[in-house]
Amino acid sequence: MNALYPIVPELITVHLGVPDNDEADNVTVTFQDYIKNVASSEIYPTWPEAALRANIYAQISFALNRIYTEFYPSRGKDFDITSSPAYDQTFVYGRDIYDNISEIVDEIFNDYIVRGSNIEPLYAVYCNGTTVTCNGLSQWGSVGLAENGLSAYDILASYYGNEINIVENAPVGQLEPSPPNLLLAEGSAGNDVKFIQIRLNRISTNYPSIPKIQYPDGIYGAETANAVKAFQRIFGLSQTGEVNRATWYKIQTVYNAVKQLSELESEGLRLEEVSNQFPAASVPGDSGTNVSAIQYYLHTISLFNPSIPSVEIDGYFGPSTEESVKAFQREYGLAQSGEVDADTWNTMFDAYYGIINTLSDEQLGYGHAPFPGVFLKIGAEGESVLTLQQYINAASTVYPAIPKVDEDGIFGSETRNAVYAAQAVFEFPINGIVGPLTWNALAETYDDVMSNTRSEYQYPGEIIGTEEANS
Amino acid sequence: MNQQDNYGFLLVRASSAFGSVPIPGATVSVRTVNGDETTLYTVMTTNEDGETEAVRIPAPPADISLEPGNATPYSLVNLEIFADGFYSVGIQNMPIFSGITSTQSVNMIPLPESYKYSKYPGANIIISESEVPNL
């Protein structure tokens, strides 16, 4: 990493033990959730607000310093920070979070302390100030200072020196696009608005108490405000009905999690093709469909179990696949050989199958079909082509540049032109041939569209009911 | 000031796949902790969003927490969350502070298929300890 300016990461990987304990799990959580957890674990939520804020600024800066300096990766570790207060800050995975602390963190999670005009986030040392003293913020001391009326900044300056500054609103990595500069509220209009409308509709498929926005047309009316408010209520944000930074990022995060689930089916295996029959043992260095199957099971399990790292489904049993297999074996009480023998295979399939059977089809993906395994091009005919044409027509409601096609199951020049257009829109190589990339991109768009209430209305490009009619 | 006059609030949110999927109809039991004993305080069920109502739990007065060396400024509860088809979750020694709402989000992991028919469902629980600050 080490960009010119610090970027607040979307996710942070926390080692649940001291650095040299190789048996301890790593968990990956959002940066906001990490700070909410640390703050709830380090201080009392009943303290005055200025003390809470001062402590939280210090906790954020400390974590960002670890990330910016790549402290643990540079020592060969596969995590960003540990949960041990002896080395870093207290983090209790899965703990309860205090609402007032959650609100403060949502506001300031991408603000941090620097010394003078330095770029590096401050290595903000702190301690309780009673049993442990240090050359930094005293947690108990901050309470007294806050009771005397000092602001959070003044409290920090009294411990870290007057030349400190607080950098505000640093960019957050990975979450594209960045939030709009202005609050989105009733009266706003534009692509930013359409972006969140489509995403809220997809999330509402899993959370039915979020009302659907019937026409995600990019205009923020009362319907959108109600959906935003319901989302805020469910995910612990202030219910303003307006999209501020924290709400924008939370919508992204939840949508990405929902999307990952729905992409399971498109990752390559139909349910009918999945077999619990143990093939042969797979070991690091192997490649082929057995390895793809293993990776698919591990990827699925990783979406539900934080102790299992995700893997790419590339059919090659490399180091990251081996690491994931070992984590799975540790978690499910098997010998950590890193190799997939009969026992490991059966346990893996058992876990995978349990997941698939517990959740509904809708939750796992709106039912879009996985890539049929055969590249589709002009001259092809059949079920898969028909499905492709349905996806193309759904996509054309979101991307007007993609022309509609006749759903006749025949891949002729009309369908090929639509594929050219789709590949241009998605910035794929434009060759008129539908492989897994093109298929999945169209299927995902179909998913999004199916999440919206069906209507004959065209969504994008047509503004509903404004006074802009040409005279 | 009577300790019974002070309350904190607790609500539980149960979901799977890290918030993607809510778990409606999960049973949440709350027990208050007094030394070595626990007492059942209430049992709740999650709604269609996977959320319980906010329940009121007695806690010590907040001003105890403003200085070091006083009595413990929180009360303790244990939670158990059960939903069909998932590992049960147990959370022990969760602190409750007066005037503060705590939200406990629980990530429920689906059971492997063969565990669903286990004769000994009691084994299918994941227990974790909360922690209080080391102040």
Side-chain angles (χ1 to χ4, degrees):
Chain A
M1 218 197 99
N2 235 325
L4 212 49
Y5 286 96
I7 295 178
V8 175
E10 182 197 348
L11 302 171
I12 181 171
T13 301
V14 188
H15 188 68
L16 300 181
V18 298
D20 287 334
N21 177 2
D22 291 332
E23 288 299 301
D25 281 343
N26 290 344
V27 289
T28 301
V29 296
T30 67
F31 188 75
Q32 279 116 300
D33 284 345
Y34 168 75
I35 298 295
K36 291 179 186 184
N37 189 305
V38 169
S40 300
S41 303
E42 284 276 351
I43 55 183
Y44 289 147
T46 43
W47 286 356
E49 173 138 345
L52 297 178
R53 284 173 179 266
N55 275 276
I56 291 172
Y57 278 124
Q59 292 155 5
I60 292 169
S61 301
F62 184 94
L64 289 179
N65 180 283
R66 281 285 190 244
I67 288 179
Y68 185 74
T69 60
E70 298 176 325
F71 185 79
Y72 287 108
S74 67
R75 285 156 176 74
K77 303 294 187 184
D78 60 353
F79 49 82
D80 296 313
I81 202 164
T82 72
S83 64
S84 162
Y87 292 85
D88 298 301
Q89 351 193 61
T90 312
F91 172 87
V92 180
Y93 183 64
R95 70 158 303 134
D96 52 310
I97 304 294
Y98 306 116
D99 277 16
N100 62 334
I101 283 181
S102 180
E103 265 186 49
I104 294 173
V105 174
D106 278 336
E107 193 192 310
I108 66 175
F109 76 94
N110 56 347
D111 301 345
Y112 58 90
I113 311 167
V114 293
R115 206 181 284 290
S117 56
N118 285 357
I119 291 172
E120 187 177 287
L122 182 73
Y123 184 68
V125 172
Y126 58 81
C127 52
N128 62 24
T130 48
T131 57
V132 184
T133 52
C134 60
N135 190 16
L137 179 117
S138 158
Q139 290 166 325
W140 280 114
S142 72
V143 178
L145 294 180
E147 284 179 318
N148 285 339
L150 265 65
S151 70
Y153 174 80
D154 289 336
I155 294 173
L156 291 170
S158 77
Y159 290 110
Y160 297 116
N162 284 320
E163 72 277 13
I164 59 161
N165 289 307
I166 296 182
V167 172
E168 290 186 347
N169 204 2
V172 178
Q174 305 272 47
L175 282 174
E176 293 290 344
S178 302
N181 287 330
L182 301 171
L183 202 66
L184 294 181
E186 281 194 61
S188 304
N191 280 332
D192 289 337
V193 176
K194 192 189 302 181
F195 187 81
I196 56 146
Q197 288 170 328
I198 291 180
R199 275 153 178 70
L200 284 173
N201 276 350
R202 183 64 184 89
I203 295 167
S204 88
T205 304
N206 289 357
Y207 285 90
S209 74
I210 299 176
K212 288 247 190 259
I213 299 162
Q214 206 184 6
Y215 305 120
D217 54 9
I219 298 188
Y220 201 126
E223 228 188 347
T224 303
N226 285 338
V228 170
K229 220 178 270 186
F231 176 88
Q232 289 167 328
R233 189 199 79 237
I234 293 172
F235 289 98
L237 301 162
S238 316
Q239 295 174 49
T240 58
E242 301 177 341
V243 179
N244 58 2
R245 247 195 297 165
T247 305
W248 174 276
Y249 285 125
K250 196 68 179 182
I251 290 176
Q252 299 284 67
T253 309
V254 175
Y255 175 78
N256 288 341
V258 166
K259 261 325 213 177
Q260 282 207 292
L261 264 201
S262 71
E263 277 159 23
L264 274 181
E265 277 214 60
S266 69
E267 288 290 354
L269 295 184
R270 295 176 203 261
L271 204 52
E272 314 86 68
E273 288 172 338
V274 152
S275 163
N276 63 343
Q277 299 253 327
F278 172 60
S282 293
V283 300
D286 283 352
S287 59
T289 47
N290 292 342
V291 179
S292 295
I294 290 165
Q295 292 169 329
Y296 179 64
Y297 300 150
L298 286 172
H299 172 67
T300 305
I301 295 165
S302 79
L303 296 184
F304 292 83
N305 189 323
S307 305
I308 317 287
S310 180
V311 287
E312 252 194 68
I313 303 173
D314 58 11
Y316 174 63
F317 202 138
S320 54
T321 303
E322 187 183 353
E323 192 194 314
S324 188
V325 169
K326 281 189 182 160
F328 175 84
Q329 289 167 326
R330 180 171 60 235
E331 183 76 357
Y332 285 81
L334 302 165
Q336 293 177 55
S337 62
E339 299 179 354
V340 181
D341 57 2
D343 250 355
T344 303
W345 173 276
N346 288 332
T347 310
M348 216 178 264
F349 186 83
D350 197 22
Y352 163 81
Y353 207 56
I355 291 171
I356 298 299
N357 282 339
T358 296
L359 297 172
S360 72
D361 281 343
E362 272 184 358
Q363 289 166 333
L364 285 174
Y366 218 95
H368 69 249
F371 174 64
V374 178
F375 283 70
L376 300 174
K377 57 186 182 178
I378 192 158
E381 284 183 26
E383 266 306 313
S384 301
V385 177
L386 181 59
T387 305
L388 172 69
Q389 292 166 331
Q390 289 167 345
Y391 292 175
I392 288 172
N393 287 339
S396 86
T397 67
V398 182
Y399 302 105
I402 302 176
K404 280 203 184 303
V405 296
D406 263 345
E407 292 175 18
D408 58 7
I410 300 174
F411 198 136
S413 53
E414 187 191 57
T415 303
R416 186 174 59 179
N417 286 340
V419 171
Y420 285 147
Q423 290 172 326
V425 163
F426 298 126
E427 295 179 8
F428 292 152
I430 301 175
N431 54 23
I433 300 175
V434 178
L437 279 182
T438 306
W439 177 280
N440 288 339
L442 285 167
E444 280 175 32
T445 310
Y446 173 83
D447 232 14
D448 282 340
V449 170
M450 291 310 287
S451 306
N452 302 329
T453 310
R454 268 199 181 281
S455 82
E456 291 170 329
Y457 228 97
Q458 299 291 338
Y459 303 134
E462 288 202 28
I463 301 173
I464 303 157
T466 71
E467 292 93 25
E468 274 181 23
N470 290 329
S471 49
Chain B
M1 194 184 311
N2 185 349
Q3 177 160 329
Q4 296 304 96
D5 289 334
N6 291 281
Y7 297 94
F9 295 85
L10 166 67
L11 75 87
V12 176
R13 231 178 245 140
S15 66
S16 193
F18 307 113
S20 311
V21 174
I23 314 280
T27 305
V28 180
S29 69
V30 182
R31 309 182 77 87
T32 52
V33 177
N34 300 299
D36 288 336
E37 288 183 3
T38 65
T39 314
L40 183 65
Y41 184 77
T42 187
V43 179
M44 310 183 277
T45 311
T46 57
N47 64 12
E48 62 174 348
D49 297 321
E51 247 178 48
T52 66
E53 307 229 315
V55 67
R56 197 174 72 150
I57 299 174
D63 49 23
I64 292 182
S65 73
L66 298 178
E67 272 178 18
N70 291 342
T72 50
Y74 47 81
S75 58
L76 291 174
V77 294
N78 290 348
L79 303 182
E80 201 169 298
I81 299 105
F82 165 78
D84 209 14
F86 294 86
Y87 284 96
S88 296
V89 173
I91 298 171
Q92 306 201 316
N93 295 321
M94 191 172 123
I96 303 290
F97 290 88
S98 177
I100 300 287
T101 302
S102 305
T103 299
Q104 176 67 62
S105 297
V106 182
N107 180 45
M108 310 281 293
I109 302 176
L111 288 170
E113 189 66 11
S114 65
Y115 290 30
K116 296 179 185 175
Y117 313 104
S118 167
K119 277 197 295 188
Y120 307 108
N124 296 334
I125 184 164
I126 300 173
I127 299 182
S128 60
E129 286 267 337
S130 187
E131 259 180 50
V132 293
N134 182 23
L135 285 166

